[in-house]
């Protein structure tokens, strides 16, 4: 076929090139989608039960949930009092911009005052902060907390980030509950809760 | 030529192609040592490809076996250690050659008109090299591999709203896992190398279109046989330059093999000690840092006490290279004829890159951070102030070709 008119040729050029571009985009989509987390990745996220009978103050239990390191620690009376003072003022003292379950939205970011459960992944770039409960163990004003050695972010014993460090928000608190005094279930708010699975 | 040769030449003109691009490609005779770095880069590329193919024969890209398959290869396979060290030390030597190659471009203004596109194709190659080095670094699945991956994927999370989803998409899981390892493997051995080959091809084509620059900054027609009186000043690439290049390549190879045989980890600079520990997702090493060739960027990241801005400045420090041809307003190309300000600024720039490299590898104490910030400012200052200092300084008159 011979296309005579110039505008007609231009129109055909436009149609062919724009439709090919759209087609190429669609062809790309399955490849892009294929890189998303699959079923197997999602199934590791079911809740886990941890025995905390032997946990003493200033101790830590580290477990894995959804492939993430979770710390379970026990705070002392002094440390609890320190947290109530909210001093020196952290960046997000009321955890408005941070992630925690509804029932942990309090000054201690936990269900109980003493037991604290936290996702040990720095909100800066994902290193695991170390648990440093002793006073002055990071610098001379250190009141106990979590210290991320990668780029020096500091968090208090409720996982709240201090100012002047690179991490923007508080450490994340996972959903959890106590089926009985000595056990903690991480990954659900209450028994049978499957929301996070 | 033989009959067979003629027959082939008519169907696939290889000899003609080589003659046009080697024997009839003319450069200025002031071309010096710095101009051999491109050739070294080619040789290192070949080393990486060949050693890489043999590594592939034993390496297993799963979290269970990655670390041990490499250890097995190094201990039990005849010359397995050699193949691995060639690849590891080769990566560092590749970067050394490229840094010298880029420095040459800064020194002689090789990025200036008409070589802007050539320079930008180089910057793309450099970014691809970083991507290849990073994805390759993940493969041995040591402590540093794992945590570097975590940190670098987290760069994505600074993007508002979509960042978290994007990070999960890239790592294919909620955390860095076996899924992440196997896709980085695919990037490292297939995807990125294919793209880098393409761009190296573009780089060479672009070079041969405009011709090589030279330390004197004189304009040479790369495709025209020089007049009789210029034959000492303008020489063909083959045999003159290529023999010089070959000499430098052999010296570089000797140095390279010296390191491979006698100091393959290069005191922890080329192969870090902490990466000889298998990855442990529960424990971050107390001090994590990248390999030396990416260290300056990491230092810039740490210098900024804000997550989003830190990542932005780190990327800017790379992206700004693309704009270099338009930041330099100097009427001359080579540092030999530029003024004091340009020379001073280049020295300060090189110093700041080296110092940032140093501060990126040591722990982030307050004094270190203070100096890192100073050198970050100097790094950017070199580029941002360039339109000013290249305009106001007085340059010497560069020579003409006659
Ligand atoms: C795999 C990596 C690379 C290879 C194999 C390569 C190869 C070459 C070769 C063979 C030449 C001609 C010989 C020479 O001048 O040294 C050249 C020139 C050049 N390259 Fe590259 N190159 C690479 C990466 C880069 C990068 C990362 C940059 C800059 C960001 C760059 C910028 C340039 C420039 C500006 C020239 C022209 C220099 C002049 O004529 O003065 N190249 N390259
Ligand atoms: S990852 Fe913790 S401070 Fe950067």
């Amino acid at each position: 076929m011979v296309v005579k008119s110039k505008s007609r040729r231009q129109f055909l050029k436009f149609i062919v090139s724009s439709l090919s571009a759209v087609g190429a985009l669609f062809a790309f989509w399955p490849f892009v989608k294929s890189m998303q987390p699959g079923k197997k990745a999602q199934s590791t996220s079911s809740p886990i039960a941890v025995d905390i009978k032997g946990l003493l103050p200033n101790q830590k239990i580290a477990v894995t949930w959804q492939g993430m390191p979770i710390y379970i620690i026990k705070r002392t009376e002094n440390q609890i009092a320190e947290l109530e003072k909210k001093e020196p003022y952290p960046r997000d003292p009321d955890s408005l911009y941070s992630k925690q379950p509804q029932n942990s939205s309090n000054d201690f970011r936990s269900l109980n005052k003493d037991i604290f459960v936290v996702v040990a992944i720095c909100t800066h770039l994902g290193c695991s902060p170390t648990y440093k409960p002793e006073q002055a163990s990071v610098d001379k004003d250190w009141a106990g907390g979590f210290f991320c050695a990668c780029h020096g972010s500091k968090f208090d014993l409720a996982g709240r980030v201090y100012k002047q460090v690179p991490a923007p928000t508080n450490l994340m608190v996972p959903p959890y509950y106590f089926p009985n005094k000595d056990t903690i279930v991480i990954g659900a708010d209450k028994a049978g809760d499957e929301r996070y699975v | 030529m033989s009959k067979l040769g003629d027959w082939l030449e008519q169907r696939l003109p290889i000899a003609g192609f080589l003659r046009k691009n080697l024997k009839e490609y003319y450069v200025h005779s002031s071309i010096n040592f710095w101009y051999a770095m491109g050739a070294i880069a080619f040789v290192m590329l070949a080393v990486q490809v060949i050693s890489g193919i043999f590594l592939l024969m034993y390496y297993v890209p799963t979290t269970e076996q990655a670390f041990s398959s490499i250890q097995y290869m190094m201990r039990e396979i005849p010359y397995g250690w050699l193949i691995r060290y060639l690849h590891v030390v080769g990566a560092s030597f590749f970067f050394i050659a490229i840094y010298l190659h880029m420095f040459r471009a800064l020194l002689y203004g090789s990025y200036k008109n008409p070589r802007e596109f050539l320079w930008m194709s180089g910057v793309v190659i450099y970014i691809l090299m970083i991507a290849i080095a990073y994805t390759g670094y993940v493969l041995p699945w040591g402590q540093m591999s794992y945590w570097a991956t975590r940190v670098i994927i987290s760069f994505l999370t600074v993007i508002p709203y979509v960042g978290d989803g994007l990070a999960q998409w890239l790592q294919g899981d909620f955390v860095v896992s076996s899924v992440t390892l196997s896709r980085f493997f695919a990037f490292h051995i297939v995807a990125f190398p294919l793209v880098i080959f393409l761009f190296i091809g573009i780089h060479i084509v672009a070079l041969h279109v405009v011709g090589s620059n030279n330390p004197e900054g004189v304009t040479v027609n790369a495709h025209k046989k020089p007049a009789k009186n210029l034959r000492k000043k303008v020489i063909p690439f083959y045999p003159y330059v290529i023999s010089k290049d070959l000499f430098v390549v052999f010296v570089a190879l000797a140095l390279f093999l010296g390191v491979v045989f006698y100091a393959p980890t290069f005191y922890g600079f080329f192969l870090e000690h902490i990466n000889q520990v298998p990855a442990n997702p529960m424990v971050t090493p107390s001090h994590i840092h990248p390999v030396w060739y990416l260290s300056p960027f990491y230092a810039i990241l740490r210098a900024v006490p804000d997550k989003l801005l830190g990542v932005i400045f780190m990327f800017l420090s790379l992206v700004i290279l693309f704009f270099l041809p338009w930041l330099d307003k100097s009427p001359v190309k080579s540092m030999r004829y530029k003024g004091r300000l340009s020379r001073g600024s280049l020295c300060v720039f090189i110093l700041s890159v080296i110092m940032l490299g140093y501060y990126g590898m040591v722990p982030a104490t307050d004094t270190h951070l203070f100096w890192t910030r100073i050198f970050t400012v100097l790094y950017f200052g070199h580029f941002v102030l360039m339109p000013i200092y290249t305009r106001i300084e007085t340059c010497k008159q560069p020579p003409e070709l006659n």
Side-chain angles (χ1 to χ4, degrees), chain A residues 32 35 123-126 128 151, chain B residues 150 154 169 183 284 298 307:
Chain A
V32 171
M35 284 177 65
T123 51
H124 181 222
L125 296 172
S128 266
H151 318 97
Chain B
R150 283 274 292 261
S154 301
W169 172 77
R183 64 181 53 178
T284 310
Y298 190 64
K307 184 170 163 177

Side-chain angles (χ1 to χ4, degrees), chain B residues 25-295:
Chain B
Y25 178 76
Y26 299 98
V27 301
H28 195 256
S29 62
S30 67
I31 271 189
N32 56 13
F33 159 80
W34 294 106
Y35 280 78
M37 296 305 130
I40 296 182
F42 259 119
V43 174
M44 292 323 296
L45 183 74
V47 169
Q48 292 311 88
V49 170
I50 295 169
S51 57
I53 291 173
F54 284 87
L55 279 176
L56 264 178
M57 296 182 185
Y58 293 99
Y59 174 75
V60 185
T62 63
T63 45
E64 291 79 31
Q65 288 190 62
F67 190 87
S68 56
S69 67
I70 289 182
Q71 294 302 318
Y72 173 76
M73 172 158 189
M74 291 186 65
R75 285 155 207 262
E76 308 292 339
I77 304 296
Y79 293 108
W81 58 271
L82 178 63
I83 291 166
R84 193 210 178 185
Y85 283 147
L86 282 174
H87 205 73
V88 169
V89 178
S92 276
F93 264 74
F94 201 164
F95 272 97
I96 294 175
I98 287 303
Y99 282 136
L100 297 178
H101 188 74
M102 293 168 76
F103 174 68
R104 181 279 318 271
L106 298 182
L107 198 57
Y108 299 137
S110 300
Y111 49 84
K112 285 170 76 82
N113 182 348
R115 298 185 183 77
E116 302 93 327
F117 185 82
L118 174 59
W119 164 259
M120 291 197 294
S121 70
V123 178
V124 174
I125 294 176
Y126 177 51
I127 293 174
L128 284 165
M129 280 178 66
I130 292 176
I132 294 181
Y134 161 57
T135 47
Y137 192 64
V138 174
L139 303 183
W141 210 243
Q143 270 290 64
M144 232 25 150
S145 309
Y146 179 82
W147 288 99
T149 316
R150 283 274 292 261
V151 167
I152 292 177
I153 289 184
S154 301
F155 290 166
L156 290 175
T157 62
V158 302
I159 304 170
Y161 308 112
V162 294
D164 289 339
L166 215 55
Q168 280 185 7
W169 172 77
L170 185 63
Q171 67 199 21
D173 203 335
F174 296 102
V175 285
V176 170
S177 71
S178 221
V179 184
T180 322
L181 176 59
S182 38
R183 64 181 53 178
F184 275 34
F185 180 61
F187 292 147
H188 181 74
I189 65 158
V190 187
F192 293 158
L194 281 182
V195 185
I196 211 171
F197 292 152
L198 175 71
F199 274 90
I200 291 172
I202 292 175
H203 193 64
I204 300 304
V205 171
L207 174 75
H208 279 234
V209 170
V210 292
S212 293
N213 183 30
N214 52 72
E216 293 290 310
V218 295
T219 307
V220 171
N221 185 339
H223 307 289
K224 207 179 110 217
K225 196 168 181 185
K228 266 227 164 69
N229 61 330
L230 291 178
R231 297 256 162 98
K232 284 227 159 85
K233 283 187 183 154
V234 178
I235 50 176
F237 180 77
Y238 175 92
Y240 298 104
V241 183
I242 201 163
S243 38
K244 190 147 93 179
D245 280 356
L246 266 181
F247 175 73
V248 183
V249 163
F250 283 133
V251 174
L253 274 180
L255 283 176
F256 170 57
L257 292 178
V259 174
V260 169
F261 291 139
Y262 294 106
T265 67
F266 212 68
Y267 316 101
F269 280 105
F270 291 178
L271 189 61
E272 289 149 316
H273 303 318
I274 183 74
N275 218 27
Q276 309 286 58
V277 177
N280 179 354
M282 296 298 282
V283 183
T284 310
S286 60
H287 172 47
I288 77 164
H289 60 87
V291 201
W292 69 269
Y293 43 75
L294 300 181
S295 187

Side-chain angles (χ1 to χ4, degrees), chain A residues 33-56:
Chain A
K33 271 309 251 193
S34 76
M35 284 177 65
Q36 214 140 51
K39 274 269 175 341
K40 204 164 144 231
Q42 282 158 5
S43 67
T44 54
S45 57
S46 35
I48 52 164
V50 186
D51 180 6
I52 52 164
K53 190 155 28 138
L55 186 64
L56 298 175

